[in-house]
């Protein structure tokens, strides 16, 4: 997936160097490989997560799936 206006930090993202399909698994597919790469290797994981939370992105961003990010947002809103 190519964003029309990528953020400067996106060039440093580990996912920019790896097959894009990994970050957008089909329904029912296991996203663990993408999450592990994000959490263990990506130098811009925090910026990525913040971006995904602000833009309601699909797929794995910042080491979390969309459902995990929605749960995180709900938890933050009740805190």
């Amino acid at each position: 997936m190519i964003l029309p206006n990528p953020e400067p930090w996106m060039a440093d993202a580990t996912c920019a160097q790896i097959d894009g399909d990994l970050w957008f698994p089909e329904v029912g597919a296991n996203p663990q490989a993408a999450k592990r790469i994000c959490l263990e290797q990506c130098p811009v994981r925090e910026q990525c997560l913040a971006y995904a939370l602000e833009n309601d992105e699909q797929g794995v961003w910042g080491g979390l799936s969309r459902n995990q990010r929605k749960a995180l947002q709900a938890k933050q809103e009740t805190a």
Side-chain angles (χ1 to χ4, degrees):
M1 177 173 92
I2 298 175
L3 296 172
N5 297 309
E7 298 288 327
W9 58 263
M10 289 179 175
D12 296 327
T14 302
C15 62
Q17 314 305 318
I18 299 175
D19 179 23
D21 291 341
L22 183 65
W23 313 106
F24 301 94
E26 293 185 26
V27 174
N30 189 338
Q32 287 306 103
K35 290 179 184 181
R36 185 172 34 258
I37 290 168
C38 288
L39 295 171
E40 294 175 1
Q41 299 176 21
C42 191
V44 295
R45 188 182 72 77
E46 291 180 18
Q47 295 97 316
C48 180
L49 179 57
Y51 179 87
L53 289 168
E54 290 174 17
N55 294 285
D56 193 28
E57 293 290 346
Q58 298 289 328
V60 175
W61 288 72
L64 300 178
S65 68
R66 185 170 189 229
N67 288 340
Q68 289 174 311
R69 292 191 306 273
K70 287 194 173 289
L72 178 63
Q73 278 184 313
K75 184 177 177 182
Q76 289 174 343
E77 290 171 2
T78 61

